[in-house]
Amino acid sequence: MEEVAGRKELEAHWVRVCDRLRKEIGDKAFKTWFGEVELGKLETGKLRLYAPTRFVRDWVARHYGDRVLAYWQAVNTTVASVEVNLVPPPAPRRANDIIAMPPVPTSPQNYQSSALPRLGPAIGRGSEDAFQGPEARYTFANFVVGKPNEFAYAAARNIAEQDRPLPERNPLYIFGGVGLGKTHLMHAIWHAIRERDPKTRVLYLTAESFVNRFIQALRTKNTGQFKELFRNVDVLMVDDVQFICGKEASQDEFFFTFNSLVEQNKQIVLSSEKPPSELQDIEERMRSRLGSGLVADIHSSTYELRLSILQTKAENARVPVPVAVLEFLAHKISTNIRELEGALNRVVAHGQLIGREITVEMAQDVLHDLLRQADRKVTVDEIQQRVAAHYNIKLAEMSSPRRARSVARPRQVAMYLAKQLTTLSLPQIGKRFGNRDHTTVMHAVRKIEELKISDLSIAEDVELLKRQLQG
């Protein structure tokens, strides 16, 4: 009973600490960073908190650690330190436990099997490749979550955990640039659904494969079996759906398949490089269908997310890579996650095969081709033009004496970026912003650095503008 009472008291203290944090940093920031942080145990003066991802753990510890400790000590004097840990992951699955999609006879009486039938011999040899299970390494457990992808991740998890699709979330349409994690999430949904219920009939393929199979079915006059396959699944997952655009017959068949599955209350999951509204050469009825459910986008990665991904990859590979090298890669390789992981692989492989110590200098040497474009010089004029366009203000406002926040904040962002991306001195930067004093530039830099911590929108704006200017 004493243990139960002690736990209740600890939970009451946690509520008070959270109230203090919410008042100080605001509801939005609190929900983002502490919404899923869990209270652990208090043992010998050490209090443990648990974060859902490495990204959240590192951010909370780095930016809020001192305040969390101070608030705890204000309500409980026995707390000497606060430690933020990662929620322990589930035990890894053995390779032979990973569910694949084995072949089964195509006869109707066998169609109730948990596996999907392959198209008949008339479709041609090798056609079964598109129906093999997605890659085992792409699961929710090893998907690194950060601000740019947290909504898409949450939407994907929600779909994977639903017994029946919710009409307002069907289809789930995930879009984003190349190499940002769309396919990883698609594979993760497949694995989660099959693990939850192996009898669920899940079909995953690319839109290109859908088109090629439909064309082959037309040639062999086997469209009946094609329709039977695609319209009798529980979950249809189509990657890179933009490939269907401009292909009228395939688009019509996909539309009818889509309608048939929705009417049967079956789940559809799609991915694309663009939102439905920006797809070209597509019928309006199809565009409407694609956007009729839940549309989730994946933004370009932030520095913090890229660093977290690199840390996770290095940890999983059990390769000791210095933090300075990871930070260097996260800063320099900002185009997409796939290229970022490839850069780390190149550095690690070079170190292992040549026997050379992994350092920042070594990474610069190995990745000189990737870094060449990132290192191009950025001018103050480019910065001012990009920032003015981003905030929808006149370029002349960068040098004007106006102090309204709608103008002053973008101007401070531009000064901050000028300090970060150019070699100009503070007085030189001030001169380019209406002959302002160097102390004004110093104040702008400090202000933006503070806002990047407390205001997520500013942090995202700065990171986006920096990537655009460097790219």
Side-chain angles (χ1 to χ4, degrees), residues 228-261:
E228 178 73 11
L229 171 63
F230 283 93
R231 301 185 190 186
N232 285 278
V233 297
D234 297 311
V235 182
L236 175 63
M237 307 182 69
V238 181
D239 213 348
D240 292 326
V241 74
Q242 73 275 357
F243 189 83
I244 296 177
C245 295
K247 302 170 177 64
E248 293 183 10
S250 298
Q251 194 178 132
D252 287 342
E253 180 58 33
F254 187 74
F255 179 76
F256 296 136
T257 298
F258 191 114
N259 285 342
S260 175
L261 291 174

Side-chain angles (χ1 to χ4, degrees), residues 8-67:
K8 288 184 177 180
E9 184 179 13
L10 197 66
E11 291 174 350
H13 291 163
W14 177 228
V15 170
R16 292 172 62 185
V17 170
C18 288
D19 286 342
R20 291 281 300 275
L21 283 167
R22 185 181 288 105
K23 290 177 182 177
E24 180 179 348
I25 67 178
D27 287 338
K28 183 178 179 180
F30 178 84
K31 184 178 180 181
T32 298
W33 302 117
F34 292 92
E36 295 185 74
V37 172
E38 300 174 4
L39 175 64
K41 293 183 178 181
L42 174 61
E43 296 176 332
T44 61
K46 179 185 289 186
L47 179 79
R48 288 185 173 86
L49 301 176
Y50 291 95
T53 66
R54 289 181 176 85
F55 178 67
V56 173
R57 176 197 65 186
D58 295 344
W59 188 278
V60 169
R62 185 182 304 120
H63 297 287
Y64 299 107
D66 292 340
R67 275 176 281 185

Side-chain angles (χ1 to χ4, degrees), residues 299-350:
H299 305 294
S300 298
S301 61
T302 60
Y303 167 79
E304 289 78 14
L305 177 58
R306 294 195 297 274
L307 181 58
S308 184
I309 290 172
L310 290 172
Q311 290 172 334
T312 301
K313 188 171 180 64
E315 289 173 9
N316 291 341
R318 295 185 174 87
V319 177
V321 181
V323 174
V325 174
L326 298 179
E327 292 176 342
F328 171 75
L329 294 179
H331 175 69
K332 289 293 186 179
I333 312 297
S334 59
T335 50
N336 65 65
I337 303 305
R338 198 173 298 143
E339 190 172 272
L340 181 69
E341 292 179 341
L344 178 61
N345 288 338
R346 284 174 60 180
V347 170
V348 170
H350 193 86

Side-chain angles (χ1 to χ4, degrees), residues 97-109:
D97 286 335
I98 296 173
I99 300 170
M101 196 176 285
V104 298
T106 56
S107 55
Q109 62 267 30

Side-chain angles (χ1 to χ4, degrees), residues 405-423:
R405 175 167 292 190
S406 61
V407 172
R409 188 69 78 230
R411 188 189 297 131
Q412 289 178 327
V413 169
M415 290 180 180
Y416 173 83
L417 291 171
K419 178 66 172 64
Q420 296 292 316
L421 303 179
T422 74
T423 58

